[in-house]
Amino acid sequence: MESTGIQRLFYILWAIIKLNLYILVFTLAGGIVLGMGPAFQSANDVLLTSGMDYQNITFGKMAERFKANFKRSNGIFWIFAALLGIVAYNLFLASQIKGLLWFILSFVLFFAILLLLVVYLYAVQYETTYDISIGNLLKLAFISVFLNFGTFLKVLFGVISILVVTWFFKGLLLFATFSLFLVWSGYATKNIRQLVEGKLG
């Protein structure tokens, strides 16, 4: 029984590593700039259909989803990238000025960055599930964040934890970081997504 549990753990670890490597390969295939969004989205599509079964996480499936997602996922990704860039730049400017008002503004802007990151993770999850316009997808992802603040904190805790561990172990960028974002966001938002599915159904 113990060996079966250890074997299962290795299967899960290999699935995470395999998925992360595919994300990096397809990001490079898109010239990085045009590859990041579709690669991340495609990995989530494959993860949702295959689960943590490493045998079903294949290059062929990733390639198929990458082609299908290329245009739309780039649009979604760069909307969030542009918003994050604007907010981050304003945070940089606000942090250069001393004073209580600017400190509060910096805090609000930092929170806005975290909010955008979580909304993007929701958008990736919903993009896999629903065939809706980008505008409605973004609205649904944004609203979902506020359906349960506890879930928002859970997603945030996981994302920050992954980033902190990656900071100390840079090799995780190659082997696990990006796939862990998908695995964690899928797990942490499951109840909210089921609630939304029930409402839409």
Side-chain angles (χ1 to χ4, degrees):
M1 196 74 169
E2 186 180 348
S3 61
T4 304
I6 293 173
Q7 191 176 43
R8 174 66 180 158
L9 176 62
F10 278 112
Y11 286 161
I12 291 172
L13 289 175
W14 175 232
I16 289 170
I17 292 169
K18 197 175 180 182
L19 198 62
N20 202 76
L21 291 173
Y22 284 155
I23 291 172
L24 295 177
V25 167
F26 283 95
T27 296
L28 292 173
I32 301 179
V33 173
L34 295 178
M36 291 184 285
F40 198 67
Q41 182 64 59
S42 300
N44 191 69
D45 293 354
V46 172
L47 182 63
L48 194 70
T49 56
S50 303
M52 298 304 289
D53 183 358
Y54 73 93
Q55 292 178 318
N56 283 325
I57 299 173
T58 65
F59 186 88
K61 287 182 179 179
M62 275 292 295
E64 181 185 342
R65 294 312 307 155
F66 186 79
K67 290 176 185 175
N69 290 328
F70 190 80
K71 186 176 179 181
R72 186 175 159 100
S73 293
N74 265 312
I76 295 168
F77 177 82
W78 285 107
I79 287 171
F80 280 97
L83 291 173
L84 279 169
I86 292 168
V87 176
Y89 179 68
N90 282 284
L91 175 59
F92 171 75
L93 293 178
S95 64
Q96 304 303 306
I97 305 173
K98 294 180 180 180
L100 180 60
L101 178 62
W102 294 104
F103 176 77
I104 294 172
L105 180 60
S106 296
F107 180 80
V108 171
L109 290 170
F110 180 71
F111 179 79
I113 289 175
L114 296 178
L115 179 64
L116 282 169
L117 288 173
V118 175
V119 172
Y120 176 67
L121 290 174
Y122 265 110
V124 169
Q125 295 295 330
Y126 287 136
E127 176 68 4
T128 298
T129 310
Y130 303 114
D131 184 16
I132 56 178
S133 68
I134 290 179
N136 286 330
L137 177 76
L138 299 180
K139 289 176 190 174
L140 182 61
F142 183 75
I143 291 168
S144 295
V145 172
F146 298 97
L147 289 177
N148 188 311
F149 194 67
T151 300
F152 171 74
L153 292 177
K154 186 195 291 186
V155 175
L156 210 52
F157 173 77
V159 168
I160 291 172
S161 298
I162 293 167
L163 288 173
V164 169
V165 173
T166 301
W167 178 262
F168 289 105
F169 303 97
K170 304 293 193 301
L172 287 176
L173 284 169
L174 181 61
F175 296 110
T177 300
F178 305 108
S179 56
L180 283 175
F181 284 145
L182 292 174
V183 171
W184 178 254
S185 64
Y187 165 75
T189 64
K190 186 177 180 181
N191 290 339
I192 297 299
R193 289 185 290 112
Q194 287 177 341
L195 175 65
V196 169
E197 187 174 352
K199 296 289 184 183
L200 293 177

